[in-house]
């Protein structure tokens, strides 16, 4: 599965690991993905809940326990505030 990390997280956390904004990982679900990303860049898990959205195959996913076995791509993107 391809993991696409969008700015600012690509540079802030994964600059040395990301090639063209992409990581190749095989997480079981989004909780597992956060754990794996935190293993690469300690501190990522601490900011994931308040700052990160995940899009699985182009659709924003709020259920972090969703099985990712058949997913082709997960995009890690910043939450956008507004009001």
């Amino acid at each position: 599965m391809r993991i696409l990390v969008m700015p600012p997280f690509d540079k802030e956390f994964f600059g040395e690991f990301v090639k063209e904004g992409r990581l190749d990982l095989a997480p079981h679900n989004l909780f597992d993905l956060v754990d794996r990303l935190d293993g690469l860049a300690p501190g990522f898990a601490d900011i994931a809940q308040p700052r990160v959205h995940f899009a699985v195959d182009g659709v924003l996913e709020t259920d972090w326990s969703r099985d990712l076995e058949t997913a082709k791509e997960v995009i890690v993107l910043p939450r956008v505030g507004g009001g």
Side-chain angles (χ1 to χ4, degrees):
M1 164 188 327
R2 181 174 57 182
I3 310 298
L4 182 60
V5 181
M6 302 301 290
F9 307 123
D10 58 346
K11 303 274 188 285
E12 184 178 350
F13 288 96
F14 306 105
E16 64 188 82
F17 304 106
V18 176
K19 294 180 183 175
E20 297 179 13
R22 297 178 181 170
L23 293 167
D24 288 316
L25 301 172
H28 303 289
N29 57 40
L30 293 175
F31 287 115
D32 186 31
L33 176 58
V34 170
D35 285 344
R36 290 173 189 232
L37 292 174
D38 192 63
L40 292 174
F44 181 78
D46 295 335
I47 64 95
Q49 184 67 34
R51 290 184 52 199
V52 177
H53 269 310
F54 296 99
V56 178
D57 292 334
V59 178
L60 284 180
E61 182 60 65
T62 58
D63 179 4
W64 286 20
S65 66
R66 177 189 167 195
D67 183 15
L68 296 176
E69 185 175 332
T70 61
K72 293 186 184 342
E73 178 181 74
V74 176
I75 302 173
V76 180
L77 61 154
R79 289 182 183 260
V80 178

